[in-house]
Amino acid sequence: MDHSMYAARRTRVIEALRAAGGGVAVLATAPERQRNADNHHPFRHDSSFYYLSGFAEPESWLVLTSTGRSLLFCRPRDAERELWDGYRLGPEAAPGELGVDEAHPISRLDDELPPLLNGQPGVWFPFGGSQEVPRRVTQWLDTVRSHERMGWIMPTQQRDLNSLVDEMRLFKDEHELALMRRAAQISAQAHVRAMRFARPGCREYEVEAELLHEFRRQGASGPAYGSIVAAGRNACVLHYEAGDAPLQAGELCLIDAGCEYGSYASDITRTFPVNGRFSGPQRELYDLVVAAQEAAVAATRPGARKQDGHWAAVRVLSQGLLDTGLLSRDAHGSLDDVIERAAYRRYYMHGTGHWLGLDVHDAGDYLSQAEAPVDQPDGMGGRRTSKPSRLLLPGMVLTIEPGLYVRPAPDVPERWWHIGIRIEDDAVVTAEGCELMSRGAPVRADEIEALMRDAR
C-alpha cells in the first residue's frame, strides 16, 4: 500500500497544530471487544486513527507533535500470538511500512508521553469518544505535574482533535471516492440480487443472507452497519433489524443495507413489492417518494446548503400528503402551514441525509461555524436560533433518503396501512451538481417491476 497519502494527512494535522498555537495530538485506535468466553467481536479500527495512519491493527496509538514528529505505538512481534491471531507489523518495520518517523512497543506509551507533553502549550485528543484516552491523558499530565520541581512545564490546554480531523475527513480525495464508488457498486448489485431472490414465503433473514453473500463475494469486508430487511409492517420501524418475518404477497419489503469496502461505507435503501408488482396505493406513495428524492437531488449542488435538499423533499412530500388525503386541508391548512407546523412528521420523521465516508454517519459539522446564528424552523413545528446549515462544496459525500411510513390509525384509510417506503442513494457533490454513486440498483417503479418479473 502507498502510505504517502496518510503521511500527507498527518502533515496537514501538524500544520493545523502549529496554526493553533502548537501542542501534541494523541489518537488511539478502537479497543478490541470481547464477545463471550475467549471470543472477540471482529475488530474494526477507529476511523480517524486509520485516516491518519493507514494502520489496522488493534492496541495502537498515533502521536503527532507541532514540531513535526510522528510516532506510532503498536504491538511488538510475538511468534506465539501470531501463530494464533495472525501477523503483526511490529515497531521495527512500522517506520518503513507506514512512513511514521518512529515507532515503539505499546508498552512504552506511558513512559514516552509525559516527556513529550513537557513544555507543550496543550494536548489534543478526540473528545466524546472512548474514556480510555482522556484517562490516559490525565495520567500523563499528572506525571508532568509531579516533575514541576525539576523544571517541567505543564500543558495548560486540552483541546478537541476532532475539530481538526473531522473537517479534513468531510472532503474526500480521489482515492477515497474510488473506494466509495466501488462500495456503492457492490451494494447496488447486492440490492439487485435481493430483489431477484425475494418472493412470498421467504423470510427476512434469507434476504439478508443474499446481501451478505454478495458483499463478500465481491471483496467487501462485510456490512457497513446492521442490515435492515423489513417486510410489511416492519418497514414502518426505522431501525428494524432483519428478523424471521415472512415476506407476503401484497406487501412491500424495505431493504436498507450497504457494504464496507476498503474501510469506506456505502448506504443504500430500496423498497419493492414482494410479489413483483406495486398495488395502486403503494405505487402512489412510492412515486411520491421518488419525486421527493428527485427534488432533493436537484437541490444538492455546490453553493446550496446541506438542508436545502431536506426542505425540497419535505415540500414535495407535504404536497403529496395533502393530495392523497393523508393530511387533510381542513385540519392542517395549506402546504406552507403543513411545513411550518411540521405536520408532515407524522409520516416523515427523519432527515433527508447525512455525511458518508469511513463511518456510515461520517465526521463533519452540519452547521456553518463561520456564520452568525439565524432564526429558522427547527423541523419540529417550532423555531430556533442556530447556525445556518453549511454550504455544500465539491468532494463532500452524503446520502439522500426521503421516505414515508404509514401506521394504522382511526383517521387513516386502511388502504395505506403498513406502507413503509424509503429510497436512499449515495451522492458526491461535484462542480456541476451531484453524482449518484449507487444507481446500479433500480429506483423507478417500472424498472423494479421489470427486474422482478424477469427474475421469476
Side-chain angles (χ1 to χ4, degrees):
M1 181 183 295
D2 178 7
H3 283 275
S4 60
M5 63 182 172
Y6 299 104
R9 292 169 184 170
R10 293 193 294 270
T11 298
R12 289 177 60 191
V13 172
I14 289 171
E15 291 171 349
L17 291 176
R18 290 170 179 163
V24 174
V26 181
L27 185 62
T29 195
E32 292 183 289
R33 301 291 187 186
Q34 189 168 340
R35 185 177 186 273
N36 56 12
D38 62 349
N39 186 29
H40 285 74
H41 287 285
F43 176 72
R44 206 287 188 171
H45 45 262
D46 175 81
S47 292
S48 289
F49 176 89
Y50 184 81
Y51 180 78
L52 295 175
S53 68
F55 192 52
E57 290 187 23
E59 297 183 67
S60 305
W61 291 64
L62 180 67
V63 179
L64 304 175
T65 74
S66 56
T67 60
R69 296 172 66 191
S70 59
L71 302 86
L72 181 77
F73 293 83
C74 62
R75 301 178 304 180
R77 297 295 305 274
D78 184 323
E80 176 68 17
R81 292 316 314 165
E82 290 181 49
L83 174 65
W84 289 93
D85 302 327
Y87 173 79
R88 296 180 179 184
L89 181 61
E92 293 80 10
E97 291 291 323
L98 303 178
V100 292
D101 295 320
E102 49 189 281
H104 305 277
I106 188 64
S107 60
R108 295 288 303 164
L109 183 66
D110 290 335
D111 296 320
E112 298 289 340
L113 262 294
L116 279 176
L117 293 175
N118 173 31
Q120 294 290 335
V123 54
W124 297 71
F125 59 92
F127 288 7
S130 169
Q131 292 305 301
E132 174 66 8
V133 179
R135 185 189 70 80
R136 298 288 280 273
V137 168
T138 298
Q139 175 183 320
W140 300 329
L141 293 177
D142 286 343
T143 301
V144 175
R145 183 180 291 109
S146 70
H147 286 72
E148 285 180 328
R149 291 184 180 181
M150 301 170 59
W152 286 30
I153 300 174
M154 180 79 170
T156 58
Q157 295 181 319
Q158 297 184 33
R159 304 185 66 175
D160 187 9
L161 184 59
N162 292 328
S163 65
L164 304 182
V165 180
D166 286 4
E167 191 68 12
M168 291 173 55
R169 285 177 52 187
L170 181 57
F171 295 88
K172 275 61 179 181
D173 59 31
E174 286 305 316
H175 172 79
E176 293 176 286
L177 290 176
L179 293 174
M180 296 190 72
R181 289 188 178 101
R182 181 57 180 149
Q185 181 185 52
I186 294 171
S187 297
Q189 292 174 9
H191 277 263
V192 169
R193 179 183 180 128
M195 288 182 193
R196 287 174 170 158
F197 172 83
R199 62 198 65 232
C202 72
R203 296 187 180 271
E204 293 165 337
Y205 62 76
E206 295 180 82
V207 178
E208 180 189 24
E210 297 297 311
L211 296 164
L212 299 178
H213 180 104
E214 194 66 17
F215 291 166
R216 292 295 285 146
R217 190 183 74 84
Q218 296 209 38
S221 57
Y225 54 95
S227 300
I228 296 170
V229 180
R233 70 181 63 200
N234 296 332
C236 294
V237 180
L238 298 183
H239 287 169
Y240 178 85
E241 295 184 0
D244 62 357
L247 278 61
Q248 299 185 36
E251 294 184 340
L252 297 177
C253 180
L254 184 155
I255 298 178
D256 186 337
C259 74
E260 181 173 288
Y261 181 83
S263 295
Y264 284 81
S266 57
D267 189 359
I268 303 176
T269 306
R270 294 292 186 266
T271 309
F272 57 89
V274 172
N275 62 2
R277 189 170 184 83
F278 290 94
S279 69
Q282 291 169 351
R283 178 68 181 261
E284 188 170 5
L285 293 191
Y286 186 86
D287 287 347
L288 176 56
V289 177
V290 170
Q293 193 195 39
E294 290 174 346
V297 168
T300 302
R301 59 185 186 275
R305 295 198 180 272
K306 167 65 180 64
Q307 279 295 87
D308 288 352
H310 173 70
W311 291 118
V314 163
R315 194 162 192 86
V316 172
L317 293 173
S318 297
Q319 183 64 61
L321 291 170
L322 288 169
D323 293 344
T324 60
L326 281 166
L327 292 178
S328 73
R329 287 179 169 83
D330 290 343
H332 299 98
S334 68
L335 172 61
D336 289 339
D337 292 332
V338 167
I339 296 173
E340 180 68 24
R341 299 168 187 168
Y344 62 86
R345 287 185 61 85
R346 179 177 180 182
Y347 304 107
Y348 179 49
M349 61 291 295
H350 59 78
T352 307
H354 53 79
W355 304 133
L356 184 69
L358 284 163
D359 295 326
V360 178
H361 287 252
D362 206 35
D365 285 330
Y366 286 89
L367 303 179
S368 172
Q369 301 306 313
E371 298 180 79
V374 295
D375 179 68
Q376 55 189 334
D378 63 3
M380 302 292 289
R383 301 188 70 82
R384 65 181 176 187
T385 300
S386 68
K387 297 276 191 177
S389 175
R390 74 180 299 157
L391 296 173
L392 295 176
L393 295 171
M396 294 177 172
V397 179
L398 65 158
T399 64
I400 303 177
E401 50 176 306
L404 286 174
Y405 315 90
V406 186
R407 291 172 174 266
D411 61 338
V412 175
E414 190 172 352
R415 67 181 182 276
W416 305 114
W417 288 7
H418 303 306
I419 294 179
I421 299 165
R422 183 163 63 254
I423 305 169
E424 179 180 19
D425 282 290
D426 303 343
V428 54
V429 181
T430 65
E432 296 78 26
C434 74
E435 169 199 343
L436 298 181
M437 299 184 287
S438 49
R439 280 303 176 94
V443 170
R444 293 191 171 278
D446 290 343
E447 296 172 343
I448 290 174
E449 290 181 345
L451 183 151
M452 298 186 72
R453 183 171 58 250
D454 292 344
R456 294 297 188 263

